[in-house]
Amino acid sequence: MVNTFCLFCACIDQASVGVVESWGRFQRLAAPGLHFFNPFAGECLAGVLSTRVSSLDVRIETKTKDNVFVQLLCSIQYRIVKENADDAFYELQNPKEQIQAYVFDVVRAHVPRMTLDEVFEQKGDVAKAVLEELEKVMGEYGYNIEQILMVDIIPDTSVRRAMNEINAAQRLQLASVYKGEAEKVLLVKKAEAEAEAKYLGGVGVAKQRQAITDGLRENILNFSHTVSGTTAKEVMDLIMVTQYFDTIKELGNSSKNTTVFIPHGPGHVRDITDQIRNGMMEASSSQADN
């Protein structure tokens, strides 16, 4: 920007450089600040260039190796080299169009040799190729290329839809595999739990029967030692009768039970006693055989 105070002076802003001519011929570069010119010697300020970093966004449409049309959004960060500002001022009439033309040329030379997946994976290589070409060409005109950024890669809409569907199908397939493995683990664990429960149930029943047998044996021995003249059979009969009546009492006191018809009488008590005794004797006999 040029602020003209009068015909003989001008102020150049910070981060800018002025181009001074004498009778239409380049004379010198003017640094930021206030400058005085001699119009009688033909001096004048021909123009001012900014040395700040500028950004140019370029959108390029090209085709990949697998025949997919894709758009690439490229951002070029560049600035004018202060020492060579006169080259930038006189050599190029429209530097942005020049930069854009070189970007088109480099990108359309590299991307058609790559598949779409490779373009996404190696976009840094494309940006590097553009940077090397622009540095070599634009450096001769007083421009320095700071950085090249591949901001976005946009395939055709139908291609993007197809890529999303492929990705979704792969994820569904993977989810089905994981779901099947989870169901398999659940079934195996359930079977192991059932087997363990049955085993523990059997162990519990065995311990219960052993405890009942030990308790009966202890009761019989205690009763035989306490009451002289009684045999083990008589004590067993007494215990069975007592258990029988306790069972009937529990059935009567329980409110959750419906009506139960059971045979009752001394003869039936003897039959139950004989059945229990025979069962215990058979069990003892089988253990002795083993």
Side-chain angles (χ1 to χ4, degrees):
M1 180 179 179
V2 180
N3 297 323
T4 303
F5 297 127
C6 64
L7 296 176
F8 305 101
C9 64
C11 183
I12 299 176
D13 293 337
Q14 183 66 33
S16 299
V17 60
V19 179
V20 181
E21 293 180 348
S22 177
W23 303 113
R25 181 184 180 88
F26 171 74
Q27 182 181 15
R28 61 185 172 87
L29 296 175
L34 181 63
H35 294 269
F36 293 92
F37 306 103
N38 184 4
F40 300 102
E43 287 186 350
C44 67
L45 184 63
V48 177
L49 298 175
S50 175
T51 57
R52 295 186 178 95
V53 176
S54 300
S55 178
L56 174 63
D57 293 334
V58 181
R59 184 180 294 269
I60 313 107
E61 185 174 9
T62 184
K63 187 177 71 170
T64 61
K65 185 178 180 180
D66 47 357
N67 297 321
V68 176
F69 282 92
V70 61
Q71 290 186 358
L72 289 86
L73 182 60
C74 183
S75 179
I76 298 95
Q77 314 292 326
Y78 67 97
R79 74 164 72 206
I80 294 175
V81 180
K82 187 181 299 184
E83 294 77 11
N84 301 326
D86 54 328
D87 293 333
F89 185 79
Y90 290 106
E91 296 294 336
L92 292 179
Q93 182 176 4
N94 195 328
K96 291 186 177 181
E97 288 186 1
Q98 188 77 10
I99 293 174
Q100 183 174 340
Y102 279 108
V103 173
F104 280 178
D105 181 67
V106 176
V107 171
R108 287 175 176 171
H110 281 74
V111 172
R113 293 180 291 180
M114 307 166 64
T115 63
L116 181 61
D117 292 337
E118 291 173 346
V119 172
F120 278 98
E121 295 172 0
Q122 304 174 19
K123 66 176 184 178
D125 296 340
V126 179
K128 183 178 179 182
V130 175
L131 177 61
E132 292 175 353
E133 183 67 20
L134 286 180
E135 282 183 338
K136 182 174 61 176
V137 175
M138 299 303 295
E140 299 177 358
Y141 301 112
Y143 284 87
N144 182 43
I145 307 301
E146 299 290 332
Q147 194 172 11
I148 303 293
L149 301 174
M150 284 296 170
V151 179
D152 200 2
I153 300 173
I154 309 172
D156 187 75
T157 305
S158 59
V159 176
R160 282 185 291 173
R161 188 183 303 111
M163 292 173 64
N164 290 333
E165 291 177 356
I166 292 173
N167 186 270
Q170 291 176 347
R171 292 182 180 275
L172 288 174
Q173 182 180 6
L174 187 61
S176 300
V177 173
Y178 285 150
K179 183 178 180 181
E181 291 294 332
E183 292 178 353
K184 177 182 176 182
V185 171
L186 288 176
L187 291 175
V188 171
K189 292 299 181 181
K190 183 178 180 181
E192 291 177 354
E194 291 178 353
E196 185 69 16
K198 291 179 180 179
Y199 170 76
L200 294 177
V203 172
V205 172
K207 290 183 178 180
Q208 180 184 14
R209 291 176 179 175
Q210 183 65 38
I212 293 173
T213 303
D214 294 340
L216 291 174
R217 183 185 300 109
E218 185 177 354
N219 289 333
I220 292 172
L221 292 175
N222 291 336
F223 197 88
S224 298
H225 292 311
T226 304
V227 181
S228 60
T230 57
T231 63
K233 179 179 179 302
E234 293 173 346
V235 176
M236 189 67 182
D237 292 340
L238 179 60
I239 292 174
M240 290 297 104
V241 171
T242 304
Q243 292 292 331
Y244 176 75
F245 283 110
D246 288 342
T247 303
I248 294 176
K249 180 179 178 181
E250 289 296 329
L251 289 173
N253 292 333
S254 177
S255 60
K256 296 181 181 180
N257 294 317
T258 58
T259 304
V260 180
F261 294 95
I262 57 174
H264 179 66
H268 292 96
V269 175
R270 182 176 301 276
D271 292 339
I272 295 172
T273 304
D274 293 339
Q275 293 175 11
I276 295 174
R277 185 187 305 109
N278 292 335
M280 295 180 64
M281 292 177 64
E282 291 176 358
S284 300
S285 177
S286 62
Q287 292 178 358
D289 293 339
N290 294 333

